[in-house]
Amino acid sequence: MRRRTFMAAGTGLALAAAAPAHAGTRRLRHVHPGDSVQAAVDAVTGPGWTIVVHPGTYREVVNVPVGAAELTLRGATRDPRAAVIVYDNANGTKKPDGTTYGTAGSATFTSAAPGLTVRDLTLANDWLRADHPDITGTQAVAACTYGDRTHFDNVRLLAHQDTLFVETTALASFARQYFRRCYIEGDVDFVFGRATAVFEECHFHTLQRDVTFTPKGMVFAPSTARANPHGILAVRSRITSGAEDGAYKLARPWVPSYETTAWPSLVVRDSWLGPGIDPVAPYTDMREQYPWQTMRFREYGNSGPGAAITVPGNRPQLTPEEAQSHTRRAYLGDWHP
């Protein structure tokens, strides 16, 4: 398998960069090819900084600490292909001390900062199973987000298994995260976690996977805390596929062994589901003791071949009255990104 080509073709894109927002302010840092994004993050002191990443590929791991509140990390152009942050750790990759990174630790980009905004960038993990047949922990995260009021706009998130980890700092913490006009691709459980996460006008793409079995993977794997009325919401979005028709499930519930009280919640509404999603049985189990039928999985107003209701019992639907409680406003509350 070949690694992805992340950069946009040609050099004209880099030359066409408009003056970044917040230019002239004192809380502004620029990152150019050869610089380190992490070094720019480390230099942030206090809230409200903007880091502008100029066109180029930055092969590094980036961690945004809690103290970097209200940070904006943005590309210098409006094309998210121009500036790419990428690395290749996996769950089973060994650290120098001989231990492994684990799923969350494999992330190319991690943030626990409240009020984070990321826009016009690509965040990727280009670790490939075929290059590491000896590693069984194949989760390789592009972005892991913990902070409340996390906002991604026009961001590309690229990986294979566990691309985007929408998480919270604790079981009782209901972190709100909002993704708008983002492109997210992967194969197994590639949007997962327990955060209150809203995806609006996003494009989810399932990859071709070199296996003989189906399903080849699942788009969503929520692990919502039982006390949280809101889990993952996808609205006015679309799901396409590079695999054959019906090869993917829409979702499966993730009840972690360390949080067996989880009650996963997913609503997909007013979205287009392509033929890659199995219309007959769009959901499946991760573990037999936690069947998907007992979870908070619902749909409403979807269209496309992957949304066809052929077996009604396999596609729980919201009523119009229930749908009023599953909107961006209901999920994000007093936060208006």
Side-chain angles (χ1 to χ4, degrees):
M1 298 177 67
R2 294 184 298 118
R3 295 191 184 279
R4 298 180 179 87
T5 300
F6 294 110
M7 293 292 290
T11 58
L13 182 62
L15 298 176
H22 311 294
T25 66
R26 298 180 65 184
R27 292 182 173 268
L28 178 67
R29 295 188 181 276
H30 290 268
V31 181
H32 295 87
D35 297 339
S36 165
V37 178
Q38 184 63 56
V41 172
D42 291 342
V44 165
T45 54
W49 282 83
T50 294
I51 296 174
V52 179
V53 184
H54 288 261
T57 298
Y58 301 82
R59 180 161 285 277
E60 61 178 313
V61 172
V62 176
N63 288 281
V64 181
V66 174
E70 314 302 329
L71 175 70
T72 295
L73 182 67
R74 54 164 296 173
T77 80
R78 293 184 179 180
D79 190 329
R81 298 170 297 175
V84 178
I85 302 172
V86 57
Y87 210 71
D88 61 348
N89 284 328
N91 179 336
T93 302
K94 286 189 177 180
K95 300 179 183 178
D97 64 4
T99 62
T100 56
Y101 283 95
T103 297
S106 74
T108 298
F109 178 86
T110 301
S111 175
L116 172 76
T117 296
V118 180
R119 64 174 69 243
D120 306 330
L121 287 172
T122 291
L123 304 177
N125 189 320
D126 61 358
W127 187 91
L128 295 175
R129 301 179 184 96
D131 294 344
H132 304 277
D134 56 315
I135 293 180
T136 56
T138 59
Q139 299 87 347
V141 178
C144 180
T145 52
Y146 292 89
D148 187 39
R149 295 179 291 108
T150 293
H151 179 195
F152 279 40
D153 196 328
N154 195 32
V155 176
R156 296 166 75 229
L157 296 147
L158 313 178
H160 286 265
Q161 183 172 355
D162 290 13
T163 303
L164 174 61
F165 195 177
V166 289
E167 190 59 330
T168 67
T169 55
L171 185 62
S173 174
F174 302 160
R176 296 164 296 177
Q177 303 179 14
Y178 178 55
F179 299 81
R180 179 174 176 267
R181 300 184 302 134
C182 292
Y183 172 84
I184 308 163
E185 72 175 26
D187 50 36
V188 179
D189 303 334
F190 63 93
V191 177
F192 71 112
R194 69 185 175 205
T196 298
V198 176
F199 297 85
E200 189 166 30
E201 299 178 12
C202 289
H203 180 184
F204 305 92
H205 183 71
T206 63
L207 297 169
Q208 179 60 274
R209 188 178 171 201
D210 189 18
V211 294
T212 58
F213 55 80
T214 56
K216 292 188 173 182
M218 308 82 192
V219 180
F220 301 102
S223 59
T224 321
R226 183 169 294 270
N228 189 352
H230 303 126
I232 293 175
L233 169 67
V235 58
R236 290 187 293 280
S237 296
R238 61 189 176 115
I239 300 175
T240 61
S241 182
E244 61 270 25
D245 292 358
Y248 274 83
K249 301 294 187 183
L250 186 58
R252 64 178 179 175
W254 177 33
V255 179
S257 58
Y258 55 86
E259 287 180 5
T260 57
T261 60
W263 192 21
S265 175
L266 168 70
V267 171
V268 179
R269 59 170 301 176
D270 305 312
S271 296
W272 186 86
L273 281 55
I277 299 299
D278 179 1
V280 177
Y283 305 105
T284 189
D285 300 336
M286 186 176 292
R287 298 184 180 88
E288 290 184 2
Q289 62 267 44
Y290 304 111
W292 73 263
Q293 293 90 342
T294 65
M295 304 301 167
R296 294 176 284 177
F297 285 4
R298 297 291 186 271
E299 298 178 57
Y300 183 77
N302 294 324
S303 60
I309 302 175
T310 58
V311 181
N314 287 345
R315 305 208 79 138
Q317 303 289 309
L318 295 171
T319 66
E321 293 74 23
E322 291 170 334
Q324 296 177 23
S325 299
H326 295 278
T327 63
R328 177 184 65 182
R329 178 174 295 182
Y331 278 49
L332 302 184
D334 61 358
W335 175 44
H336 306 286

